[in-house]
Amino acid sequence: MPSLKDLRNRIAATKATQKITKAMQMVAASKLRRAQVAAEAARPYASHMDKVLGNIAASVGSLDTAPRLLRGTGSDSVHLLLVCTAERGLCGPFNTAIVRLARERATALMAEGKEVKFFCVGRKGYDQLRRLYSKQIIEMVDLRAARTLQFSHAEMIAEKVIARFNNFEFDICTLFFSRFRSVIAQIPTAQQIIPPVFDSKVAEGLDGAVYEFEPEAEDILHELLPRNIAVQIFRALLENSASFYGAQMSAMDNATRNAGDMIRRQTLTYNRTRQAMITKELIEIISGAEAL
Protein backbone atom coordinates (compact mmCIF):
# COMPACT_ATOMS: atom_id res chain seq x y z
CA MET A 1 0.00 0.00 0.00
CA PRO A 2 1.42 3.45 -0.89
CA SER A 3 2.38 5.73 1.96
CA LEU A 4 0.60 8.99 2.77
CA LYS A 5 3.50 10.92 1.25
CA ASP A 6 3.18 8.99 -2.02
CA LEU A 7 -0.55 9.67 -2.12
CA ARG A 8 0.00 13.40 -1.45
CA ASN A 9 2.56 13.50 -4.27
CA ARG A 10 0.10 11.79 -6.64
CA ILE A 11 -2.65 14.26 -5.77
CA ALA A 12 -0.31 17.22 -6.24
CA ALA A 13 0.91 15.87 -9.61
CA THR A 14 -2.65 15.31 -10.83
CA LYS A 15 -3.66 18.83 -9.77
CA ALA A 16 -0.69 20.25 -11.66
CA THR A 17 -1.71 18.26 -14.74
CA GLN A 18 -5.27 19.49 -14.39
CA LYS A 19 -4.06 23.10 -14.38
CA ILE A 20 -2.10 22.47 -17.59
CA THR A 21 -5.00 20.80 -19.40
CA LYS A 22 -7.38 23.57 -18.28
CA ALA A 23 -4.98 26.22 -19.57
CA MET A 24 -4.59 24.38 -22.91
CA GLN A 25 -8.37 24.13 -23.20
CA MET A 26 -8.74 27.88 -22.71
CA VAL A 27 -5.97 28.64 -25.23
CA ALA A 28 -7.57 26.32 -27.80
CA ALA A 29 -10.97 27.93 -27.20
CA SER A 30 -9.52 31.40 -27.74
CA LYS A 31 -7.81 30.38 -30.99
CA LEU A 32 -10.73 28.31 -32.28
CA ARG A 33 -12.99 31.27 -33.04
CA ARG A 34 -10.43 32.96 -35.29
CA ALA A 35 -9.53 29.70 -37.03
CA GLN A 36 -13.21 28.88 -37.56
CA VAL A 37 -13.91 32.29 -39.10
CA ALA A 38 -10.94 31.90 -41.45
CA ALA A 39 -12.03 28.41 -42.53
CA GLU A 40 -15.63 29.47 -43.15
CA ALA A 41 -14.49 32.55 -45.07
CA ALA A 42 -12.35 30.43 -47.40
CA ARG A 43 -15.15 28.02 -48.33
CA PRO A 44 -17.19 30.29 -50.68
CA TYR A 45 -14.12 31.40 -52.65
CA ALA A 46 -12.77 27.87 -53.06
CA SER A 47 -16.21 26.51 -53.95
CA HIS A 48 -16.96 29.25 -56.50
CA MET A 49 -13.55 28.89 -58.12
CA ASP A 50 -14.23 25.18 -58.44
CA LYS A 51 -17.53 25.97 -60.14
CA VAL A 52 -15.99 28.45 -62.58
CA LEU A 53 -13.21 26.04 -63.51
CA GLY A 54 -15.74 23.24 -63.88
CA ASN A 55 -17.74 25.35 -66.31
CA ILE A 56 -14.65 26.22 -68.37
CA ALA A 57 -13.26 22.70 -68.23
CA ALA A 58 -16.53 21.27 -69.58
CA SER A 59 -15.85 22.91 -72.95
CA VAL A 60 -12.15 22.07 -73.34
CA GLY A 61 -11.56 19.04 -71.12
CA SER A 62 -11.61 16.56 -74.00
CA LEU A 63 -9.39 18.63 -76.32
CA ASP A 64 -5.70 17.90 -76.85
CA THR A 65 -4.98 21.60 -76.26
CA ALA A 66 -6.35 21.39 -72.70
CA PRO A 67 -3.73 21.93 -69.98
CA ARG A 68 -2.08 18.79 -68.69
CA LEU A 69 -3.18 19.65 -65.16
CA LEU A 70 -6.77 19.30 -66.36
CA ARG A 71 -6.67 16.25 -68.63
CA GLY A 72 -4.05 14.37 -66.60
CA THR A 73 -1.42 12.02 -67.96
CA GLY A 74 -3.86 9.50 -69.37
CA SER A 75 -2.79 6.97 -66.74
CA ASP A 76 -3.56 6.26 -63.10
CA SER A 77 -0.69 3.95 -62.20
CA VAL A 78 1.08 6.32 -59.76
CA HIS A 79 -0.84 8.10 -57.00
CA LEU A 80 0.43 10.90 -54.78
CA LEU A 81 -1.36 11.23 -51.44
CA LEU A 82 -0.98 14.75 -50.04
CA VAL A 83 -1.67 14.23 -46.32
CA CYS A 84 -2.21 17.38 -44.23
CA THR A 85 -2.15 17.00 -40.45
CA ALA A 86 -1.25 19.12 -37.43
CA GLU A 87 2.21 19.91 -36.13
CA ARG A 88 1.25 19.14 -32.52
CA GLY A 89 -0.67 16.49 -30.65
CA LEU A 90 -2.89 16.46 -27.54
CA CYS A 91 -5.92 16.73 -29.81
CA GLY A 92 -7.61 13.36 -29.46
CA PRO A 93 -8.02 11.29 -32.64
CA PHE A 94 -7.71 14.30 -34.99
CA ASN A 95 -4.38 13.37 -36.64
CA THR A 96 -5.02 9.63 -36.47
CA ALA A 97 -8.34 9.94 -38.33
CA ILE A 98 -6.71 11.72 -41.29
CA VAL A 99 -3.81 9.26 -41.42
CA ARG A 100 -6.22 6.31 -41.18
CA LEU A 101 -8.18 7.58 -44.20
CA ALA A 102 -4.96 8.03 -46.19
CA ARG A 103 -3.70 4.62 -45.11
CA GLU A 104 -6.94 2.95 -46.18
CA ARG A 105 -6.73 4.63 -49.59
CA ALA A 106 -3.11 3.57 -49.97
CA THR A 107 -3.92 -0.02 -49.04
CA ALA A 108 -6.77 -0.15 -51.56
CA LEU A 109 -4.61 1.33 -54.34
CA MET A 110 -1.70 -1.02 -53.70
CA ALA A 111 -4.12 -3.96 -53.72
CA GLU A 112 -5.03 -2.88 -57.27
CA GLY A 113 -1.37 -2.86 -58.27
CA LYS A 114 -0.94 0.93 -58.17
CA GLU A 115 2.17 2.72 -56.97
CA VAL A 116 1.58 5.04 -54.01
CA LYS A 117 3.69 7.99 -52.86
CA PHE A 118 3.16 10.26 -49.87
CA PHE A 119 3.67 14.02 -49.52
CA CYS A 120 3.27 14.94 -45.83
CA VAL A 121 2.31 18.38 -44.54
CA GLY A 122 2.56 18.36 -40.77
CA ARG A 123 4.89 16.51 -38.43
CA LYS A 124 2.28 14.30 -36.76
CA GLY A 125 1.12 12.73 -40.00
CA TYR A 126 4.69 12.18 -41.09
CA ASP A 127 5.56 10.48 -37.78
CA GLN A 128 2.67 8.04 -38.15
CA LEU A 129 3.09 7.29 -41.85
CA ARG A 130 6.83 6.70 -41.76
CA ARG A 131 6.34 3.63 -39.56
CA LEU A 132 4.81 1.75 -42.50
CA TYR A 133 5.63 3.85 -45.58
CA SER A 134 9.03 5.40 -44.88
CA LYS A 135 10.35 4.53 -48.36
CA GLN A 136 7.24 5.92 -50.06
CA ILE A 137 7.35 9.37 -48.43
CA ILE A 138 8.91 11.66 -51.03
CA GLU A 139 8.69 14.96 -49.14
CA MET A 140 7.63 16.49 -45.85
CA VAL A 141 6.71 20.13 -45.16
CA ASP A 142 7.00 21.38 -41.59
CA LEU A 143 4.91 24.48 -40.73
CA ARG A 144 5.80 24.68 -37.04
CA ALA A 145 7.57 28.00 -37.59
CA ALA A 146 4.43 29.59 -39.08
CA ARG A 147 2.60 31.56 -36.39
CA THR A 148 -0.31 32.22 -38.78
CA LEU A 149 -1.22 30.27 -41.90
CA GLN A 150 -0.75 32.35 -45.02
CA PHE A 151 -1.66 31.75 -48.66
CA SER A 152 2.07 31.76 -49.40
CA HIS A 153 2.40 28.49 -47.46
CA ALA A 154 -0.21 26.84 -49.68
CA GLU A 155 1.41 28.30 -52.80
CA MET A 156 4.76 26.84 -51.78
CA ILE A 157 3.23 23.39 -51.31
CA ALA A 158 1.30 23.68 -54.59
CA GLU A 159 4.46 24.62 -56.49
CA LYS A 160 6.26 21.57 -55.13
CA VAL A 161 3.38 19.27 -56.10
CA ILE A 162 2.99 20.78 -59.59
CA ALA A 163 6.75 20.56 -60.19
CA ARG A 164 6.67 16.85 -59.40
CA PHE A 165 3.66 16.40 -61.68
CA ASN A 166 5.47 18.19 -64.51
CA ASN A 167 8.42 15.84 -63.95
CA PHE A 168 6.08 12.85 -64.49
CA GLU A 169 6.55 11.59 -60.91
CA PHE A 170 2.84 10.79 -60.45
CA ASP A 171 -0.46 10.66 -62.33
CA ILE A 172 -3.11 11.49 -59.72
CA CYS A 173 -2.86 13.60 -56.56
CA THR A 174 -5.38 13.33 -53.72
CA LEU A 175 -5.54 15.81 -50.84
CA PHE A 176 -6.35 14.54 -47.33
CA PHE A 177 -7.47 16.86 -44.54
CA SER A 178 -10.14 17.23 -41.84
CA ARG A 179 -13.15 19.39 -42.64
CA PHE A 180 -14.43 21.41 -39.69
CA ARG A 181 -18.10 20.91 -38.82
CA SER A 182 -18.23 21.73 -35.12
CA VAL A 183 -16.16 21.57 -31.94
CA ILE A 184 -17.03 17.90 -31.50
CA ALA A 185 -17.22 16.89 -35.19
CA GLN A 186 -14.32 16.97 -37.63
CA ILE A 187 -14.72 15.01 -40.87
CA PRO A 188 -11.66 13.39 -42.52
CA THR A 189 -11.92 14.24 -46.22
CA ALA A 190 -10.21 13.12 -49.43
CA GLN A 191 -10.27 15.43 -52.46
CA GLN A 192 -8.63 14.74 -55.83
CA ILE A 193 -6.89 17.91 -57.01
CA ILE A 194 -4.77 16.63 -59.95
CA PRO A 195 -6.48 16.19 -62.34
CA PRO A 196 -9.36 18.05 -60.68
CA VAL A 197 -12.73 16.33 -60.37
CA PHE A 198 -15.68 18.67 -60.88
CA ASP A 199 -19.33 18.11 -60.07
CA SER A 200 -21.26 16.86 -63.10
CA LYS A 201 -23.89 19.54 -62.52
CA VAL A 202 -21.20 22.19 -62.66
CA ALA A 203 -19.96 20.82 -65.97
CA GLU A 204 -23.37 21.56 -67.50
CA GLY A 205 -22.97 25.23 -66.78
CA LEU A 206 -22.49 27.66 -63.89
CA ASP A 207 -25.96 28.39 -62.48
CA GLY A 208 -27.47 27.32 -65.81
CA ALA A 209 -25.71 30.11 -67.73
CA VAL A 210 -23.54 29.92 -70.84
CA TYR A 211 -20.42 32.07 -70.96
CA GLU A 212 -18.00 33.29 -73.60
CA PHE A 213 -14.43 33.71 -72.43
CA GLU A 214 -11.82 36.32 -73.26
CA PRO A 215 -8.98 35.33 -73.57
CA GLU A 216 -9.49 31.73 -74.74
CA ALA A 217 -10.59 29.09 -72.26
CA GLU A 218 -7.25 27.25 -72.55
CA ASP A 219 -5.34 30.39 -71.59
CA ILE A 220 -7.60 30.97 -68.60
CA LEU A 221 -7.13 27.38 -67.44
CA HIS A 222 -3.33 27.61 -67.76
CA GLU A 223 -3.48 30.53 -65.34
CA LEU A 224 -6.21 29.40 -62.96
CA LEU A 225 -5.54 25.67 -62.57
CA PRO A 226 -2.26 26.09 -60.60
CA ARG A 227 -3.91 28.80 -58.51
CA ASN A 228 -6.91 26.56 -57.85
CA ILE A 229 -4.59 23.85 -56.50
CA ALA A 230 -3.06 26.40 -54.12
CA VAL A 231 -6.54 27.62 -53.11
CA GLN A 232 -7.74 24.09 -52.36
CA ILE A 233 -4.60 23.37 -50.32
CA PHE A 234 -4.99 26.66 -48.43
CA ARG A 235 -8.61 25.82 -47.71
CA ALA A 236 -7.52 22.39 -46.43
CA LEU A 237 -4.91 23.99 -44.14
CA LEU A 238 -7.49 26.41 -42.72
CA GLU A 239 -10.04 23.61 -42.22
CA ASN A 240 -7.32 21.58 -40.49
CA SER A 241 -6.44 24.48 -38.22
CA ALA A 242 -10.05 24.97 -37.08
CA SER A 243 -10.53 21.20 -36.70
CA PHE A 244 -7.32 20.93 -34.67
CA TYR A 245 -8.33 23.59 -32.15
CA GLY A 246 -11.83 22.12 -31.90
CA ALA A 247 -10.44 18.64 -31.29
CA GLN A 248 -7.84 19.96 -28.82
CA MET A 249 -10.47 21.92 -26.92
CA SER A 250 -12.64 18.79 -26.57
CA ALA A 251 -9.67 16.59 -25.66
CA MET A 252 -8.38 18.98 -23.01
CA ASP A 253 -11.88 19.42 -21.58
CA ASN A 254 -12.16 15.64 -21.22
CA ALA A 255 -8.66 15.48 -19.73
CA THR A 256 -9.55 18.19 -17.19
CA ARG A 257 -12.71 16.33 -16.18
CA ASN A 258 -10.81 13.04 -15.89
CA ALA A 259 -8.15 14.73 -13.77
CA GLY A 260 -10.89 16.00 -11.44
CA ASP A 261 -12.28 12.49 -11.10
CA MET A 262 -8.78 11.14 -10.37
CA ILE A 263 -8.21 13.80 -7.72
CA ARG A 264 -11.47 12.88 -5.99
CA ARG A 265 -10.61 9.16 -6.00
CA GLN A 266 -7.05 9.79 -4.83
CA THR A 267 -8.26 12.13 -2.06
CA LEU A 268 -10.74 9.48 -0.91
CA THR A 269 -7.99 6.86 -0.86
CA TYR A 270 -5.71 9.28 1.02
CA ASN A 271 -8.37 9.99 3.66
CA ARG A 272 -9.17 6.31 4.11
CA THR A 273 -5.49 5.41 4.42
CA ARG A 274 -4.92 8.24 6.90
CA GLN A 275 -7.96 7.20 8.93
CA ALA A 276 -6.76 3.58 8.98
CA MET A 277 -3.32 4.65 10.19
CA ILE A 278 -4.81 6.85 12.93
CA THR A 279 -7.10 4.01 14.02
CA LYS A 280 -4.15 1.62 14.10
CA GLU A 281 -2.09 4.04 16.20
CA LEU A 282 -5.00 4.51 18.64
CA ILE A 283 -5.40 0.74 18.98
CA GLU A 284 -1.68 0.41 19.69
CA ILE A 285 -1.84 3.16 22.33
CA ILE A 286 -4.91 1.66 24.01
CA SER A 287 -3.41 -1.84 23.92
CA GLY A 288 -0.19 -0.55 25.47
CA ALA A 289 -2.09 1.29 28.20
CA GLU A 290 -4.11 -1.80 29.05
CA ALA A 291 -0.94 -3.90 29.22
CA LEU A 292 0.42 -1.55 31.86
XYZ file of all heavy atoms in Angstrom, residues 225-260:
272
model
N -5.673 27.015 -63.139
C -5.541 25.666 -62.571
C -4.471 25.590 -61.474
O -4.725 25.028 -60.398
C -5.277 24.649 -63.677
C -6.508 24.225 -64.489
C -6.106 23.370 -65.677
C -7.507 23.471 -63.620
N -3.247 26.119 -61.704
C -2.260 26.095 -60.604
C -2.733 26.884 -59.385
O -2.502 26.466 -58.246
C -1.016 26.730 -61.239
C -1.191 26.528 -62.706
C -2.663 26.635 -62.947
N -3.423 28.007 -59.650
C -3.913 28.802 -58.514
C -5.017 28.052 -57.772
O -5.089 28.110 -56.543
C -4.443 30.151 -59.012
C -4.913 31.063 -57.876
C -5.261 32.438 -58.364
N -5.652 33.303 -57.252
C -4.823 33.945 -56.461
N -3.527 33.832 -56.656
N -5.270 34.706 -55.480
N -5.845 27.325 -58.498
C -6.907 26.558 -57.849
C -6.335 25.482 -56.924
O -6.872 25.216 -55.850
C -7.805 25.908 -58.900
C -8.934 25.112 -58.278
O -9.740 25.634 -57.504
N -8.990 23.823 -58.590
N -5.238 24.854 -57.350
C -4.593 23.853 -56.496
C -4.120 24.500 -55.199
O -4.321 23.967 -54.104
C -3.424 23.185 -57.245
C -3.954 22.364 -58.424
C -2.615 22.292 -56.302
C -2.867 21.810 -59.318
N -3.500 25.687 -55.316
C -3.056 26.402 -54.122
C -4.243 26.795 -53.239
O -4.170 26.718 -52.001
C -2.251 27.636 -54.519
N -5.343 27.221 -53.870
C -6.536 27.615 -53.114
C -7.112 26.422 -52.354
O -7.474 26.530 -51.177
C -7.594 28.223 -54.061
C -8.943 28.346 -53.350
C -7.147 29.587 -54.552
N -7.189 25.276 -53.028
C -7.742 24.086 -52.360
C -6.839 23.630 -51.206
O -7.333 23.200 -50.158
C -7.928 22.955 -53.373
C -8.883 23.269 -54.521
C -10.269 23.681 -54.050
O -10.759 23.242 -53.013
N -10.921 24.551 -54.820
N -5.525 23.734 -51.401
C -4.601 23.366 -50.318
C -4.722 24.354 -49.160
O -4.729 23.961 -47.984
C -3.152 23.312 -50.847
C -2.991 22.153 -51.836
C -2.164 23.154 -49.695
C -1.634 22.098 -52.500
N -4.844 25.647 -49.483
C -4.989 26.655 -48.433
C -6.287 26.433 -47.657
O -6.309 26.537 -46.420
C -4.984 28.056 -49.051
C -4.992 29.171 -48.049
C -4.105 29.191 -46.987
C -5.900 30.217 -48.160
C -4.096 30.225 -46.053
C -5.909 31.252 -47.247
C -5.014 31.260 -46.189
N -7.345 26.115 -48.380
C -8.607 25.816 -47.710
C -8.446 24.608 -46.783
O -8.948 24.605 -45.653
C -9.692 25.531 -48.746
C -11.017 25.119 -48.128
C -11.969 24.575 -49.164
N -13.220 24.128 -48.574
C -14.174 23.508 -49.244
N -14.021 23.260 -50.528
N -15.280 23.135 -48.638
N -7.740 23.578 -47.254
C -7.520 22.386 -46.429
C -6.728 22.736 -45.174
O -7.031 22.239 -44.072
C -6.789 21.317 -47.237
N -5.704 23.592 -45.299
C -4.909 23.991 -44.141
C -5.753 24.761 -43.121
O -5.621 24.569 -41.901
C -3.716 24.841 -44.586
C -2.653 24.139 -45.438
C -1.573 25.124 -45.859
C -2.027 22.966 -44.690
N -6.628 25.645 -43.623
C -7.495 26.410 -42.716
C -8.524 25.504 -42.040
O -8.810 25.651 -40.849
C -8.197 27.527 -43.490
C -7.304 28.646 -44.023
C -8.121 29.650 -44.824
C -6.563 29.361 -42.900
N -9.092 24.573 -42.804
C -10.039 23.613 -42.219
C -9.331 22.772 -41.156
O -9.891 22.502 -40.079
C -10.604 22.702 -43.316
C -11.478 23.405 -44.337
C -12.904 23.596 -43.867
O -13.255 23.097 -42.779
O -13.674 24.267 -44.582
N -8.101 22.361 -41.457
C -7.323 21.582 -40.488
C -7.068 22.372 -39.211
O -7.129 21.837 -38.110
C -5.992 21.160 -41.104
C -6.011 19.728 -41.597
O -7.046 19.080 -41.609
N -4.875 19.223 -41.997
N -6.742 23.651 -39.376
C -6.442 24.485 -38.215
C -7.663 24.595 -37.299
O -7.557 24.422 -36.077
C -5.998 25.875 -38.669
O -5.745 26.721 -37.567
N -8.832 24.872 -37.886
C -10.051 24.966 -37.084
C -10.389 23.615 -36.450
O -10.768 23.541 -35.275
C -11.212 25.458 -37.951
N -10.231 22.548 -37.229
C -10.527 21.203 -36.702
C -9.583 20.849 -35.566
O -9.986 20.229 -34.570
C -10.412 20.168 -37.827
O -11.371 20.403 -38.837
N -8.301 21.232 -35.713
C -7.318 20.926 -34.671
C -7.684 21.588 -33.352
O -7.692 20.941 -32.294
C -5.928 21.377 -35.117
C -4.897 21.358 -34.020
C -4.342 20.161 -33.598
C -4.507 22.529 -33.386
C -3.406 20.131 -32.570
C -3.574 22.510 -32.367
C -3.023 21.307 -31.959
N -8.007 22.884 -33.395
C -8.327 23.589 -32.153
C -9.635 23.080 -31.557
O -9.778 23.000 -30.325
C -8.398 25.096 -32.394
C -7.037 25.712 -32.616
C -6.748 26.410 -33.789
C -6.033 25.581 -31.665
C -5.496 26.964 -34.000
C -4.781 26.136 -31.865
C -4.520 26.825 -33.041
O -3.266 27.372 -33.252
N -10.602 22.713 -32.415
C -11.829 22.123 -31.899
C -11.573 20.794 -31.214
O -12.091 20.523 -30.122
N -10.755 19.949 -31.867
C -10.437 18.645 -31.286
C -9.606 18.803 -30.020
O -9.812 18.073 -29.031
C -9.674 17.800 -32.311
N -8.668 19.744 -30.011
C -7.843 19.956 -28.820
C -8.682 20.494 -27.662
O -8.495 20.085 -26.504
C -6.705 20.920 -29.128
C -5.708 21.045 -27.987
C -4.543 21.955 -28.326
O -4.729 23.153 -28.523
N -3.348 21.390 -28.411
N -9.610 21.379 -27.976
C -10.471 21.917 -26.923
C -11.294 20.800 -26.282
O -11.394 20.714 -25.046
C -11.402 22.979 -27.530
C -12.359 23.612 -26.553
S -13.389 24.858 -27.355
C -14.591 25.161 -26.079
N -11.851 19.917 -27.103
C -12.636 18.795 -26.571
C -11.759 17.833 -25.780
O -12.145 17.364 -24.699
C -13.324 18.054 -27.715
O -14.250 18.887 -28.382
N -10.567 17.532 -26.318
C -9.669 16.586 -25.656
C -9.202 17.130 -24.316
O -9.154 16.396 -23.312
C -8.471 16.281 -26.555
N -8.846 18.410 -24.260
C -8.379 18.984 -23.006
C -9.508 19.138 -22.002
O -9.299 19.032 -20.789
C -7.715 20.344 -23.265
C -6.404 20.245 -24.032
S -5.145 19.249 -23.176
C -5.274 17.693 -24.064
N -10.738 19.374 -22.484
C -11.883 19.421 -21.578
C -12.105 18.049 -20.947
O -12.326 17.933 -19.727
C -13.133 19.864 -22.336
C -14.368 19.910 -21.453
O -14.330 20.607 -20.421
O -15.357 19.240 -21.769
N -12.024 17.005 -21.762
C -12.159 15.641 -21.224
C -11.028 15.312 -20.258
O -11.250 14.675 -19.217
C -12.177 14.627 -22.371
C -13.435 14.716 -23.201
O -14.476 15.142 -22.722
N -13.346 14.323 -24.459
N -9.805 15.746 -20.608
C -8.665 15.485 -19.731
C -8.824 16.207 -18.394
O -8.491 15.657 -17.326
C -7.368 15.913 -20.412
N -9.335 17.432 -18.425
C -9.549 18.189 -17.192
C -10.595 17.512 -16.306
O -10.428 17.402 -15.082
C -9.996 19.626 -17.518
O -8.999 20.257 -18.343
C -10.174 20.444 -16.245
N -11.677 17.032 -16.952
C -12.712 16.329 -16.182
C -12.159 15.025 -15.586
O -12.432 14.693 -14.423
C -13.908 16.016 -17.083
C -14.655 17.246 -17.577
C -15.725 16.854 -18.581
N -16.357 18.007 -19.168
C -17.425 18.625 -18.665
N -17.967 18.163 -17.532
N -17.956 19.670 -19.255
N -11.389 14.296 -16.391
C -10.809 13.041 -15.889
C -9.842 13.295 -14.745
O -9.777 12.509 -13.783
C -10.095 12.307 -17.029
C -11.068 11.777 -18.073
O -12.245 11.587 -17.786
N -10.578 11.551 -19.277
N -9.066 14.383 -14.858
C -8.148 14.728 -13.770
C -8.918 15.038 -12.489
O -8.504 14.648 -11.389
C -7.274 15.914 -14.173
N -10.058 15.728 -12.618
C -10.886 15.999 -11.445
C -11.399 14.723 -10.801
O -11.405 14.598 -9.562
